[in-house]
Amino acid sequence: MGRYVVRRVLQAIPVLIGVTFIIFCLVFALHGDPIQALAGEKRADPNIAAILRDQYHLNDPLIGQYWYYISGLFTGDLGTTYTGRPISEIVSERFPVTLQLAVTAFVIEAVVGILAGVLTALRKGKFLDQVVLLSTLLLISIPVFVLGSVLQLELGVHLAIFPISGKDDGWPTSYILPGLVLASTSMAYITRLTRASMMESVRADYVRTAVAKGLPRRRVIGMHALRNSLIPVITFLGMDLGALMGGAIITERIFNLPGIGGQLAQSVYLRERPVVVGLVTLLVLIYLGANLLVDILYAVLDPRIRYE
């Protein structure tokens, strides 16, 4: 297992370089002058603009700019904004907000989705199954900004159960409602995926053998059927963790949370290449770590899987 983990970490290095280079090319292709964007509607001072372009290597070709960035990245330097602020400070301020939001959404979608999927699989065709299937279809169909606005109005304003914006109440109070909104679509998919996988496992020969041996139903469902059913669910959850970190732009805007998503959207608008590439690099690292964790969990859930 140790050799496998080391090999996967080494394989992640070219992936990181490739993804950051693609993102760097896309940001480089954006029209407009980032130095002029700092000045807004006023014309930037030519002398100051020339100094900044030279300082941030904006006059260099694409490969030269990328080399300066990637060489600093491997020394732990994410770079600085065009205003001279270290990107690491932005990450330290905004990353905890997005992390708390993503963890809240992840727990909600994993617990509720798996539990609902198991219950509906064991009650196929009954009333609970039909209600859950209809509910998941509605969650998939409703856009996030519509669901967020409705829940904010009903649960935050009319019923006053949760705070409607900001993070003043701390975690988890301020993050339950936006976490529920962020997790809604993934929760619906996990419910349906768990239901389908669980129904297939219940009909498997090893489950029938366990029942024939007289094992308690709780043990058969929990230790045999559910354990094997979780493999595709774990795959989805591992991929979705990175999506939750990077896809919270709309949710953070609705609930006024100062996270990575809002900063990323603002940096794209201002054409701040170092910030965009730095934040995307952080999200790529999260994706790679989540995938590695999923591969390790495979061996834990399924004894037939071994990494040599």
Side-chain angles (χ1 to χ4, degrees), residues 86-99:
I87 298 177
S88 57
E89 290 185 4
I90 298 177
V91 172
S92 62
E93 287 182 3
R94 293 181 175 264
F95 182 75
V97 176
T98 300
L99 179 62

Side-chain angles (χ1 to χ4, degrees), residues 90-91 93-99 101-102 182 242-254 256-269 275-276 279-280 282-283:
I90 298 177
V91 172
E93 287 182 3
R94 293 181 175 264
F95 182 75
V97 176
T98 300
L99 179 62
L101 176 59
L182 183 61
L244 292 175
M245 296 291 297
I249 297 176
I250 298 177
T251 305
E252 289 179 358
R253 288 295 182 91
I254 293 175
N256 195 27
L257 294 174
I260 293 290
Q263 179 64 49
L264 187 59
Q266 180 182 358
S267 298
V268 171
Y269 176 76
V275 181
V276 175
L279 296 181
V280 171
L282 179 63
L283 297 178

Side-chain angles (χ1 to χ4, degrees), residues 4-299:
Y4 171 78
V5 173
V6 172
R7 187 166 64 250
R8 286 298 304 270
V9 171
L10 293 177
Q11 291 174 352
I13 295 177
V15 174
L16 177 64
I17 294 176
V19 172
T20 53
F21 181 72
I22 293 174
I23 298 299
F24 204 91
C25 292
L26 293 176
V27 177
F28 187 87
L30 291 175
H31 295 289
D33 184 2
I35 303 301
Q36 178 59 45
L38 293 177
E41 297 181 356
K42 298 180 179 179
R43 184 175 180 272
D45 184 271
N47 296 326
I48 297 178
I51 294 174
L52 290 176
R53 290 191 183 96
D54 182 67
Q55 178 181 350
Y56 292 100
H57 311 286
L58 296 180
N59 296 321
D60 296 347
L62 172 64
I63 298 299
Q65 294 186 37
Y66 181 73
W67 170 252
Y68 281 111
Y69 173 76
I70 200 67
S71 59
L73 179 62
F74 281 103
T75 60
D77 183 15
L78 291 176
T80 59
T81 66
Y82 293 139
T83 58
R85 186 184 184 190
I87 298 177
S88 57
E89 290 185 4
I90 298 177
V91 172
S92 62
E93 287 182 3
R94 293 181 175 264
F95 182 75
V97 176
T98 300
L99 179 62
Q100 290 174 337
L101 176 59
V103 169
T104 304
F106 186 82
V107 172
I108 292 175
E109 70 179 44
V111 174
V112 177
I114 293 175
L115 181 61
V118 171
L119 293 178
T120 53
L122 298 178
R123 292 166 174 80
K124 179 184 176 181
K126 296 184 178 180
F127 178 74
L128 178 62
D129 185 27
Q130 300 299 323
V131 171
V132 172
L133 288 178
L134 179 60
S135 301
T136 55
L137 181 60
L138 289 175
L139 288 177
I140 295 173
S141 304
I142 300 176
V144 174
F145 63 89
V146 175
L147 180 63
S149 300
V150 171
L151 293 183
Q152 191 179 44
L153 178 63
E154 296 298 330
L155 300 182
V157 177
H158 292 165
L159 299 179
I161 299 177
F162 302 109
I164 60 175
S165 66
K167 59 185 184 68
D168 295 338
D169 293 330
W171 188 86
T173 305
S174 297
Y175 294 88
I176 293 179
L177 190 56
L180 180 62
V181 173
L182 183 61
S184 58
T185 303
S186 298
M187 182 173 59
Y189 284 122
I190 290 174
T191 300
R192 288 175 169 261
L193 181 60
T194 305
R195 177 181 180 272
S197 183
M198 190 70 180
M199 289 171 57
E200 182 179 354
S201 297
V202 169
R203 295 191 299 264
D205 292 337
Y206 62 88
V207 173
R208 296 175 181 174
T209 302
V211 174
K213 288 182 177 181
L215 294 179
R217 178 176 174 82
R218 179 179 300 178
R219 182 176 177 84
V220 172
I221 298 300
M223 295 297 297
H224 296 279
L226 179 60
R227 185 174 180 178
N228 287 277
S229 301
L230 286 180
I231 292 180
V233 178
I234 291 297
T235 303
F236 183 89
L237 287 173
M239 296 297 296
D240 195 54
L241 179 59
L244 292 175
M245 296 291 297
I249 297 176
I250 298 177
T251 305
E252 289 179 358
R253 288 295 182 91
I254 293 175
F255 293 94
N256 195 27
L257 294 174
I260 293 290
Q263 179 64 49
L264 187 59
Q266 180 182 358
S267 298
V268 171
Y269 176 76
L270 295 176
R271 301 175 183 84
E272 291 184 325
R273 298 169 188 170
V275 181
V276 175
V277 180
L279 296 181
V280 171
T281 300
L282 179 63
L283 297 178
V284 170
L285 291 174
I286 294 174
Y287 264 111
L288 295 176
N291 287 332
L292 177 61
L293 180 61
V294 166
D295 288 340
I296 295 175
L297 288 177
Y298 281 164

